[in-house]
Amino acid sequence: MEQIFFYIFSILAIISAVMVVSVRNAVHSAFYLIVCFLQVAAIFILLRAPFLAAVQVFVYVGAVMVLFLFAVMVLDIGKEQFKEHLHTQAIPAIVTVIALFATMGYLVSQGRITVPLGKFTEEALSKNTEVIGKSLFTQYIFPFEVVSLLLLIALVGAIVLVLKEKKGKQA
Amino acid sequence: MEMNLIKVVPEFIMLGTAFLLLVIELFIARGSRKFFGVIGILGAIATGISLLYQETGSALGGLFIQDQVAIYFKALFVLCAVLVLYITMMYEDKIKHWKGEFYSLILFSIAGMMLLASSSDFISFYVSLEFVAVCLYVLAAFTSENRNTIEAGLKYLITGALASGFLVYGISFIYGSTGATGFSAVATALKTAPGSGFLVLGLSLAIIGLTFKISSIPFHVWSPDVYQGAPTPVTALLAAASKGAGFVVIMRILFTALGGIKAEWMVFVAVISGATLIFGNLAAMPQKDLKRLIAYAGIGSAGYLLMAVAAGSTLGAGAIMFYMLTYIFGILGSFLAIVIFHNSEGSDLIDSYAGLSRRSPLLAFSLFVGLLSVAGFPPLGGFIAKLYIFAAAVKEGLWVLAVIGVVMAIVSMYYFLLVVKSIYLRPPHNTAPIHVDFTSRAVLYVVNFATIFLGMYPGPVTDWVMDIAKVLF
């Protein structure tokens, strides 16, 4: 049963991901991305990670995509600006994609992932959020703090690149 | 669960200085920010002193490792910070807006590289890498009044995002086939279970993603445009520090985590190295702009360093560490001379350097020493470094690669000697002498002395790096 759902979600996710890069209209592309993110959230639920699924929906589908759509609409990127610029790269790209698919297909058919699955305690299922919070602030404090620095730099960078200093500032 | 914050003190000092500059900026009026550079240099020196007192061990729950290699690379990054901040002080008049943030972002990126040098887990490594990358994306596009700079920033951002995608995809396969994210845990997992095809795929994708940081094939395309278009201090930072950061993580991933399956990656890295060597050096020959020429030469250098990675031995790792030291002195000395020349002449074209020896013998000599050291001309530091790399490659049986390397070293001497010929032999377009102020003179003398000293008497340093390189294996 779970496997059937997994295949449904992942096939939908792949189809929508392909649509994201192949449709011409930026708004449609953004909507397909939302569909793709929702499928990934569903897969997270299948994997018993409800917190990640919720974050996926709230942050990506909710915040990030709304911001994307805003940007697309404010900038008014029409269809005509998305004309084909990459003619020369189409053939190498297709060759690379096919080669990667062939490699992956071969590896999957060999079926050599023999690693034991991660620790899956009862606690992780019933107190998912709590367990994630605890490990973020204990074992993974280093990456967590670096991410906070990264966000600060992104903020400073966005201001620095876009805003020109006001003339009124004292000389 | 051990935090052991004392091991992170150098990073705290660096980050603290960066925050201090961000805050001071709010309270002072417009105008020159030269003293920001001085504060930054003092902060970097304090970081360097705190590094001297660091002992080896791990911190922050084992995701942060402070070994000799990490301390060595952190010292290199601090050295880069001092020189790049000095170059920024020379360059400052060309930055119109947000001067304070420029200094601050340089310090943030150096702090990020220091964290990167200490990462011992794929998660902390990836997050630190992105932290450095975001700082550099902003810095590369900083003077956004200039069209070339916008182009440089955009190219850097887009190729960087793509490379990052390759890297994460690769890491996910490595995790999937070993079940561990810590470098030493991956190594332990590989001892019991041999590598599967997915591991090799993940490894290849991760190496491809990392080639962006070190500007080697296949992610080299950004580097000439970015080196040329970005503000010169940022170019210097990218050329010296960012490349070092890329190599320290490559060494940790390939030697420490995946050392058990060396046979799987050796040929792959060797092929990338050979292609990078040939492309970088041949493409450097027709260049007219000195920054662009250095970019292609930098691609070539990445090829040499990858040759040492492919060797995968203690000798190779030590050679990388020594090469980075000589490279930093050579390239940053050249960039300081380039900035001073650009301030006076407003041009980076090789043609405009004609007759520089008659206008400013010190600038001419600095470029001579710096560029020829990067080319690997005896008796300068770069020559010894290349010698060690060739020795490492030959010892591991990479004959073909070593021969390509020697031929390309001769090619690189050709195009760097063209620059030297322009500087020393051609008549100047304009005979007015170029003024170099006292501090710049002192800095140039020190950097040139270091390059020559490392070439004449490398013994103590090479013995030392060969000794500390052992901890990687």
Side-chain angles (χ1 to χ4, degrees):
Chain A
M1 191 65 186
E2 249 174 47
Q3 282 211 340
I4 298 171
F5 276 113
F6 173 76
Y7 283 119
I8 294 173
F9 292 139
S10 41
I11 288 169
L12 278 178
I14 292 169
I15 292 173
S16 50
V18 171
M19 294 304 281
V20 172
V21 290
S22 54
V23 291
R24 287 266 176 274
N25 189 320
V27 178
H28 294 176
S29 182
F31 277 115
Y32 278 114
L33 199 55
I34 293 179
V35 175
C36 180
F37 284 155
L38 283 174
Q39 306 309 318
V40 175
I43 293 176
F44 277 135
I45 290 180
L46 285 183
L47 289 171
R48 316 272 198 291
F51 180 75
L52 277 184
V55 169
Q56 176 85 11
V57 174
F58 285 152
V59 176
Y60 282 96
V61 181
V64 174
M65 288 317 297
V66 170
L67 216 64
F68 262 30
L69 285 174
F70 255 117
V72 169
M73 286 175 184
V74 170
L75 293 176
D76 192 27
I77 303 172
K79 268 188 204 164
E80 54 282 350
Q81 291 181 15
F82 270 84
K83 277 179 193 147
E84 196 76 61
H85 287 299
L86 303 171
H87 275 307
T88 50
Q89 291 179 6
I91 293 167
I94 289 170
V95 172
T96 318
V97 167
I98 290 173
L100 194 60
F101 260 104
T103 321
M104 300 281 280
Y106 173 73
L107 290 173
V108 171
S109 71
Q110 297 286 306
R112 283 280 301 282
I113 291 197
T114 48
V115 169
L117 295 171
K119 287 174 219 94
F120 209 80
T121 54
E122 201 48 46
E123 203 188 12
L125 286 178
S126 55
K127 297 179 185 166
N128 193 262
T129 317
E130 198 183 320
V131 171
I132 290 179
K134 254 187 200 156
S135 65
L136 267 187
F137 279 96
T138 53
Q139 199 194 345
Y140 292 102
I141 186 82
F142 174 28
F144 184 79
E145 293 297 333
V146 177
V147 167
S148 67
L149 284 172
L150 198 157
L151 289 177
L152 172 86
I153 292 306
L155 206 67
V156 172
I159 293 170
V160 160
L161 289 182
V162 177
L163 194 71
K164 297 288 163 240
E165 270 174 301
K166 286 201 188 99
K167 294 218 171 81
K169 202 176 164 186
Q170 283 182 345
Chain B
M1 193 56 222
E2 221 178 334
M3 282 303 164
N4 229 341
L5 288 179
I6 195 107
K7 300 256 183 291
V8 201
V9 166
E11 282 81 1
F12 280 141
I13 299 177
M14 198 52 118
L15 286 171
T17 318
F19 276 114
L20 183 72
L21 293 185
L22 265 189
V23 174
I24 299 179
E25 169 73 23
L26 296 174
F27 294 103
I28 52 169
R30 239 180 196 194
S32 171
R33 293 281 187 275
K34 291 244 159 80
F35 68 98
F36 272 40
V38 178
I39 299 176
I41 289 174
L42 290 177
I45 291 171
T47 314
I49 293 170
S50 70
L51 275 174
L52 293 179
Y53 293 98
Q54 281 294 317
E55 283 165 17
T56 54
S58 70
L60 299 175
L63 271 70
F64 181 99
I65 182 171
Q66 186 81 291
D67 56 8
Q68 295 289 341
V69 174
I71 295 175
Y72 178 82
F73 271 96
K74 284 177 192 179
L76 288 191
F77 298 146
V78 168
L79 181 68
C80 286
V82 171
L83 290 172
V84 170
L85 285 170
Y86 187 73
I87 293 174
T88 313
M89 286 162 72
M90 293 289 108
Y91 187 84
E92 199 197 270
D93 300 333
K94 297 209 179 50
I95 304 168
K96 295 205 178 59
H97 305 287
W98 310 105
K99 296 177 183 181
E101 279 78 2
F102 194 84
Y103 287 104
S104 179
L105 280 171
I106 288 177
L107 289 176
F108 272 119
S109 70
I110 293 283
M113 291 171 198
M114 291 170 70
L115 292 170
L116 203 51
S118 270
S119 298
S120 65
D121 186 284
F122 276 113
I123 297 174
S124 53
F125 143 69
Y126 179 69
V127 170
S128 311
L129 191 80
E130 285 302 294
F131 174 45
V132 177
V134 171
C135 293
L136 293 175
Y137 296 149
V138 177
L139 283 170
F142 207 90
T143 47
S144 53
E145 299 83 35
N146 185 333
R147 267 191 81 84
N148 280 341
T149 312
I150 298 178
E151 189 193 333
L154 261 183
K155 272 190 180 150
Y156 193 51
L157 174 68
I158 291 170
T159 38
L162 184 64
S164 190
F166 271 90
L167 184 61
V168 182
Y169 200 34
I171 291 174
S172 72
F173 281 121
I174 295 176
Y175 174 65
S177 49
T178 59
T181 55
F183 292 163
S184 48
V186 168
T188 324
L190 285 178
K191 275 194 193 108
T192 50
S196 65
F198 278 108
L199 183 65
V200 178
L201 180 69
L203 162 70
S204 320
L205 289 172
I207 294 175
I208 290 173
L210 278 171
T211 58
F212 169 75
K213 270 269 155 267
I214 59 173
S215 69
S216 83
I217 282 177
F219 274 110
H220 59 284
V221 225
W222 60 273
S223 106
D225 292 326
V226 175
Y227 275 42
Q228 188 184 16
T232 314
V234 180
T235 312
L237 189 68
L238 284 172
S242 177
K243 190 165 276 183
F247 273 100
V248 65
V249 297
I250 286 186
M251 290 204 297
R252 278 204 196 285
I253 293 178
L254 291 186
F255 296 170
T256 309
L258 302 169
I261 50 162
K262 186 181 164 195
E264 315 278 351
W265 50 258
M266 190 173 177
V267 177
F268 188 64
V269 176
V271 169
I272 294 182
S273 159
T276 310
L277 276 171
I278 294 172
F279 173 81
N281 285 305
L282 292 185
M285 282 202 280
Q287 299 307 321
K288 300 268 182 292
D289 182 295
L290 190 55
K291 278 163 84 179
R292 228 178 148 77
L293 180 112
I294 290 178
Y296 281 107
I299 297 176
S301 296
Y304 286 109
L305 289 159
L306 280 175
M307 188 193 289
V309 172
S313 57
T314 318
L315 186 61
I320 291 175
M321 289 159 78
F322 186 67
Y323 193 103
M324 281 319 303
L325 180 66
T326 61
Y327 192 72
I328 284 169
F329 278 120
I331 214 87
L332 291 184
S334 308
F335 272 116
L336 181 54
I338 289 172
V339 166
I340 295 172
F341 182 80
H342 192 277
N343 282 345
S344 143
E345 304 298 301
S347 165
D348 287 328
L349 295 178
I350 294 171
D351 189 47
S352 64
Y353 282 85
L356 181 65
S357 64
R358 272 165 263 179
R359 304 179 59 196
S360 168
L362 178 63
L363 285 188
F365 182 69
S366 303
L367 281 171
F368 176 79
V369 170
L371 295 179
L372 288 189
S373 170
V374 173
F377 213 77
L380 300 167
F383 169 70
I384 307 288
K386 274 190 185 162
L387 211 59
Y388 272 102
I389 288 179
F390 294 145
V394 169
K395 211 173 163 195
E396 297 297 313
L398 296 166
W399 279 100
V400 182
L401 201 55
V403 170
I404 296 177
V406 172
V407 173
M408 288 303 143
I410 296 166
V411 173
S412 72
M413 282 179 203
Y414 163 75
Y415 58 74
F416 277 127
L417 281 172
L418 281 185
V419 181
V420 171
K421 179 182 147 209
S422 170
I423 291 172
Y424 276 93
L425 298 178
R426 286 183 34 208
H429 301 303
N430 163 3
T431 50
I434 296 172
H435 174 69
V436 184
D437 64 35
F438 177 75
T439 8
S440 304
R441 274 174 189 278
V443 175
L444 284 173
Y445 277 125
V446 170
V447 171
N448 291 338
F449 174 75
T451 305
I452 296 170
F453 180 80
L454 285 173
M456 297 288 213
Y457 189 56
V461 183
T462 51
D463 287 349
W464 180 48
V465 294
M466 292 302 163
D467 191 45
I468 60 179
K470 285 184 195 125
V471 302
L472 284 168
F473 294 90

PDB file of all heavy atoms in Angstrom, chain B residues 398-410:
ATOM      1  N   LEU B 398      51.770   8.231 -11.423  1.00  0.00           N
ATOM      2  CA  LEU B 398      51.003   9.068 -12.362  1.00  0.00           C
ATOM      3  C   LEU B 398      51.971   9.742 -13.337  1.00  0.00           C
ATOM      4  O   LEU B 398      52.089  10.961 -13.384  1.00  0.00           O
ATOM      5  CB  LEU B 398      50.187  10.111 -11.594  1.00  0.00           C
ATOM      6  CG  LEU B 398      49.111   9.555 -10.669  1.00  0.00           C
ATOM      7  CD1 LEU B 398      48.623  10.621  -9.716  1.00  0.00           C
ATOM      8  CD2 LEU B 398      47.948   9.022 -11.486  1.00  0.00           C
ATOM      9  N   TRP B 399      52.656   8.939 -14.133  1.00  0.00           N
ATOM     10  CA  TRP B 399      53.686   9.477 -15.018  1.00  0.00           C
ATOM     11  C   TRP B 399      53.127  10.434 -16.051  1.00  0.00           C
ATOM     12  O   TRP B 399      53.669  11.508 -16.276  1.00  0.00           O
ATOM     13  CB  TRP B 399      54.389   8.318 -15.733  1.00  0.00           C
ATOM     14  CG  TRP B 399      55.416   7.682 -14.867  1.00  0.00           C
ATOM     15  CD1 TRP B 399      55.280   6.539 -14.152  1.00  0.00           C
ATOM     16  CD2 TRP B 399      56.715   8.183 -14.582  1.00  0.00           C
ATOM     17  NE1 TRP B 399      56.418   6.290 -13.440  1.00  0.00           N
ATOM     18  CE2 TRP B 399      57.320   7.275 -13.686  1.00  0.00           C
ATOM     19  CE3 TRP B 399      57.429   9.307 -15.001  1.00  0.00           C
ATOM     20  CZ2 TRP B 399      58.610   7.466 -13.200  1.00  0.00           C
ATOM     21  CZ3 TRP B 399      58.715   9.486 -14.518  1.00  0.00           C
ATOM     22  CH2 TRP B 399      59.294   8.577 -13.626  1.00  0.00           C
ATOM     23  N   VAL B 400      52.032   9.995 -16.696  1.00  0.00           N
ATOM     24  CA  VAL B 400      51.469  10.802 -17.788  1.00  0.00           C
ATOM     25  C   VAL B 400      51.107  12.188 -17.274  1.00  0.00           C
ATOM     26  O   VAL B 400      51.430  13.222 -17.879  1.00  0.00           O
ATOM     27  CB  VAL B 400      50.230  10.094 -18.367  1.00  0.00           C
ATOM     28  CG1 VAL B 400      49.666  10.886 -19.522  1.00  0.00           C
ATOM     29  CG2 VAL B 400      50.579   8.692 -18.787  1.00  0.00           C
ATOM     30  N   LEU B 401      50.457  12.189 -16.100  1.00  0.00           N
ATOM     31  CA  LEU B 401      50.022  13.453 -15.509  1.00  0.00           C
ATOM     32  C   LEU B 401      51.223  14.340 -15.197  1.00  0.00           C
ATOM     33  O   LEU B 401      51.216  15.546 -15.450  1.00  0.00           O
ATOM     34  CB  LEU B 401      49.238  13.134 -14.232  1.00  0.00           C
ATOM     35  CG  LEU B 401      48.304  14.204 -13.731  1.00  0.00           C
ATOM     36  CD1 LEU B 401      47.347  14.601 -14.819  1.00  0.00           C
ATOM     37  CD2 LEU B 401      47.540  13.692 -12.531  1.00  0.00           C
ATOM     38  N   ALA B 402      52.280  13.740 -14.663  1.00  0.00           N
ATOM     39  CA  ALA B 402      53.469  14.523 -14.320  1.00  0.00           C
ATOM     40  C   ALA B 402      54.097  15.129 -15.569  1.00  0.00           C
ATOM     41  O   ALA B 402      54.524  16.292 -15.553  1.00  0.00           O
ATOM     42  CB  ALA B 402      54.469  13.651 -13.584  1.00  0.00           C
ATOM     43  N   VAL B 403      54.089  14.359 -16.677  1.00  0.00           N
ATOM     44  CA  VAL B 403      54.666  14.896 -17.914  1.00  0.00           C
ATOM     45  C   VAL B 403      53.821  16.068 -18.408  1.00  0.00           C
ATOM     46  O   VAL B 403      54.354  17.128 -18.767  1.00  0.00           O
ATOM     47  CB  VAL B 403      54.766  13.780 -18.985  1.00  0.00           C
ATOM     48  CG1 VAL B 403      55.134  14.377 -20.331  1.00  0.00           C
ATOM     49  CG2 VAL B 403      55.795  12.756 -18.558  1.00  0.00           C
ATOM     50  N   ILE B 404      52.480  15.892 -18.394  1.00  0.00           N
ATOM     51  CA  ILE B 404      51.598  17.011 -18.784  1.00  0.00           C
ATOM     52  C   ILE B 404      51.914  18.224 -17.914  1.00  0.00           C
ATOM     53  O   ILE B 404      52.033  19.354 -18.401  1.00  0.00           O
ATOM     54  CB  ILE B 404      50.111  16.626 -18.623  1.00  0.00           C
ATOM     55  CG1 ILE B 404      49.731  15.497 -19.573  1.00  0.00           C
ATOM     56  CG2 ILE B 404      49.214  17.835 -18.884  1.00  0.00           C
ATOM     57  CD1 ILE B 404      48.301  15.034 -19.412  1.00  0.00           C
ATOM     58  N   GLY B 405      52.077  17.978 -16.611  1.00  0.00           N
ATOM     59  CA  GLY B 405      52.349  19.075 -15.683  1.00  0.00           C
ATOM     60  C   GLY B 405      53.625  19.802 -16.025  1.00  0.00           C
ATOM     61  O   GLY B 405      53.664  21.040 -16.036  1.00  0.00           O
ATOM     62  N   VAL B 406      54.687  19.064 -16.346  1.00  0.00           N
ATOM     63  CA  VAL B 406      55.968  19.718 -16.653  1.00  0.00           C
ATOM     64  C   VAL B 406      55.843  20.542 -17.932  1.00  0.00           C
ATOM     65  O   VAL B 406      56.281  21.695 -17.993  1.00  0.00           O
ATOM     66  CB  VAL B 406      57.084  18.660 -16.777  1.00  0.00           C
ATOM     67  CG1 VAL B 406      58.355  19.301 -17.294  1.00  0.00           C
ATOM     68  CG2 VAL B 406      57.320  18.000 -15.435  1.00  0.00           C
ATOM     69  N   VAL B 407      55.185  19.958 -18.955  1.00  0.00           N
ATOM     70  CA  VAL B 407      55.030  20.695 -20.218  1.00  0.00           C
ATOM     71  C   VAL B 407      54.234  21.978 -19.971  1.00  0.00           C
ATOM     72  O   VAL B 407      54.599  23.064 -20.439  1.00  0.00           O
ATOM     73  CB  VAL B 407      54.333  19.807 -21.278  1.00  0.00           C
ATOM     74  CG1 VAL B 407      54.018  20.614 -22.520  1.00  0.00           C
ATOM     75  CG2 VAL B 407      55.218  18.629 -21.625  1.00  0.00           C
ATOM     76  N   MET B 408      53.159  21.845 -19.183  1.00  0.00           N
ATOM     77  CA  MET B 408      52.316  23.017 -18.954  1.00  0.00           C
ATOM     78  C   MET B 408      53.019  24.047 -18.074  1.00  0.00           C
ATOM     79  O   MET B 408      52.739  25.242 -18.162  1.00  0.00           O
ATOM     80  CB  MET B 408      50.987  22.584 -18.331  1.00  0.00           C
ATOM     81  CG  MET B 408      50.094  21.884 -19.316  1.00  0.00           C
ATOM     82  SD  MET B 408      49.784  22.937 -20.744  1.00  0.00           S
ATOM     83  CE  MET B 408      49.766  21.758 -22.038  1.00  0.00           C
ATOM     84  N   ALA B 409      53.927  23.607 -17.222  1.00  0.00           N
ATOM     85  CA  ALA B 409      54.709  24.567 -16.432  1.00  0.00           C
ATOM     86  C   ALA B 409      55.556  25.428 -17.353  1.00  0.00           C
ATOM     87  O   ALA B 409      55.701  26.634 -17.139  1.00  0.00           O
ATOM     88  CB  ALA B 409      55.587  23.826 -15.428  1.00  0.00           C
ATOM     89  N   ILE B 410      56.074  24.795 -18.417  1.00  0.00           N
ATOM     90  CA  ILE B 410      56.872  25.573 -19.374  1.00  0.00           C
ATOM     91  C   ILE B 410      55.970  26.560 -20.105  1.00  0.00           C
ATOM     92  O   ILE B 410      56.323  27.725 -20.294  1.00  0.00           O
ATOM     93  CB  ILE B 410      57.587  24.621 -20.361  1.00  0.00           C
ATOM     94  CG1 ILE B 410      58.569  23.764 -19.560  1.00  0.00           C
ATOM     95  CG2 ILE B 410      58.291  25.390 -21.447  1.00  0.00           C
ATOM     96  CD1 ILE B 410      59.100  22.587 -20.306  1.00  0.00           C
TER      97      ILE B 410
END
